[in-house]
Amino acid sequence: MNDMLVRAMSKDGMVKATAVYTRALTERARQIHHTTPVATAALGRALAGVSMMGNALKGEGESVTLQIKGDGPLGTILTVSDAEGNVRGYVQDASVELPLRADGKLDVGGAVGHAGTLTVIKDLGLKEPYVGTVDLLGGEIAEDLAAYFVESEQIPSACGLGVLVDRDRSVLAAGGYLIQLLPGADEDTAARIEGGIYAAPSVTDQLRNDPDPANLLRTVLSDFELEILETTPIEYRCYCTRERTERALLSLGSKELADILREQGGAELTCQFCDRVHSFSGEELEKMIDVLKKAGK
Ligand SMILES: [Zn+2]
């Protein structure tokens, strides 16, 4: 099954929910960044989470960034989604290896760190982006994300995220769900959601047996009648272009570009989100330096 996002609502109008299957895009991230299993799991959980947040945006061209800065060895995890749920991201140190936890699972919390911050930046095409930050709860990411919604957006939320890595380090299953109470929902609704989550198998166990994210929601929200509102294919998608890279080079100014030209004879810039390399010859750099000098920069 291809990567997919589904949006649903309970027929009683009290609950909205999103779920994703993200095996291929998580595997793509692993191949780009050469992540170790625990780094793959942390990055993959963040990518699944940000995809569901991105799909909740309203307008074309909008984007959401999820930045997790823990005190663990992974350093910062940065993920971005467009308004459909297509994602990109990286971890600061992709080479982190940690022993498995006592229960045999990858130690994502240990790799991320148990203290730090989770920041959400929504670029809605306005002058200033929306920024919300909360303290990390435990670094397992799903709980941290749910806490963000409760604290920063005042939306009671439950989140489950999972990445299962195979023995050869490739991604076997990945995805998650985000369940949110709508205004008017009562404590009974919240209790029924909690009960469903408690009774359901883990996200990775479910997606490994059945990759359809709609069925993941039907299992977790077994106590509700669901209406599937939208099914969207999602993928790992980077928006880097040669033009954008050129603008970044120009922003350095003529003096710095002249230094690069002298030292390297040209410029090769690898995108931090994907494996594309944008090359500029010495001649091209000279032209850019001329343009900048004429503009007095
Ligand atoms: Zn790129």
Side-chain angles (χ1 to χ4, degrees):
M1 178 157 182
N2 293 327
D3 287 356
M4 195 71 75
L5 178 148
V6 296
R7 267 193 318 119
M9 191 144 139
S10 65
K11 287 200 171 145
D12 62 9
M14 297 295 178
V15 182
K16 69 171 181 175
T18 311
V20 282
Y21 181 65
T22 52
R23 193 206 65 81
L25 69 84
T26 308
E27 175 62 14
R28 174 87 179 100
R30 182 186 78 89
Q31 288 172 3
I32 291 168
H33 300 296
H34 308 289
T35 43
T36 58
V38 75
T40 304
L43 179 58
R45 287 187 195 177
L47 287 169
V50 81
S51 172
M52 295 188 281
M53 297 173 86
N55 183 268
L57 297 169
K58 298 283 183 294
E60 209 181 311
E62 296 181 357
S63 67
V64 58
T65 301
L66 171 64
Q67 184 194 59
I68 298 165
K69 262 188 187 173
D71 61 356
L74 275 183
T76 299
I77 304 171
L78 191 97
T79 55
V80 186
S81 175
D82 67 14
E84 289 170 22
N86 301 300
V87 293
R88 58 194 188 273
Y90 61 83
V91 290
Q92 203 173 340
D93 186 351
S95 67
V96 172
E97 305 262 10
L98 285 182
L100 295 177
R101 300 190 323 194
D103 62 4
K105 300 228 162 101
L106 292 165
D107 188 4
V108 173
V112 172
H114 302 302
T117 55
L118 180 152
T119 301
V120 173
I121 304 156
K122 289 184 191 173
D123 184 351
L124 309 175
L126 306 169
K127 227 177 187 178
E128 298 287 329
Y130 161 90
V131 182
T133 298
V134 295
D135 288 333
L136 284 182
L137 277 183
E140 294 285 337
I141 301 178
E143 294 81 357
D144 301 302
L145 211 51
Y148 159 80
F149 278 108
V150 174
E151 282 178 44
S152 210
E153 300 196 12
Q154 284 80 47
I155 305 170
S157 304
C159 182
L161 302 167
V163 174
L164 187 63
V165 178
D166 207 349
R167 267 188 226 157
D168 68 358
R169 302 197 151 199
S170 64
V171 178
L172 258 183
Y177 60 79
L178 178 65
I179 299 167
Q180 302 191 305
L181 289 185
L182 290 167
D186 53 13
E187 277 180 26
D188 174 59
T189 308
R192 283 159 65 209
I193 294 171
E194 272 174 37
I197 291 172
Y198 186 74
S202 74
V203 168
T204 46
D205 279 350
Q206 292 184 70
L207 290 176
R208 203 183 168 184
N209 290 327
D210 178 359
D212 186 345
N215 288 338
L216 175 65
L217 283 185
R218 287 186 189 107
T219 305
V220 174
L221 291 171
S222 54
D223 214 23
F224 296 83
E225 241 192 292
L226 290 181
E227 189 180 346
I228 303 292
L229 305 174
E230 182 192 342
T231 303
T232 314
I234 50 172
E235 63 178 11
Y236 196 98
R237 189 182 293 176
C238 188
Y239 287 91
C240 69
T241 60
R242 203 178 140 78
E243 289 68 38
R244 270 194 204 189
T245 313
E246 187 174 337
R247 281 204 292 277
L249 276 174
L250 284 168
S251 73
L252 295 175
S254 59
K255 198 174 162 296
E256 189 145 344
L257 278 190
D259 287 346
I260 293 172
L261 176 62
R262 196 172 51 247
E263 284 160 20
Q264 300 169 29
E268 286 216 327
L269 286 99
T270 307
C271 174
Q272 57 189 154
F273 289 108
C274 72
D275 40 16
R276 240 171 279 163
V277 180
H278 302 282
S279 307
F280 296 86
S281 66
E283 270 173 36
E284 285 173 308
L285 283 189
E286 274 170 28
K287 268 185 207 159
M288 289 161 72
I289 293 166
D290 279 348
V291 170
L292 284 170
K293 277 187 176 162
K294 274 178 196 151
K297 287 177 188 164

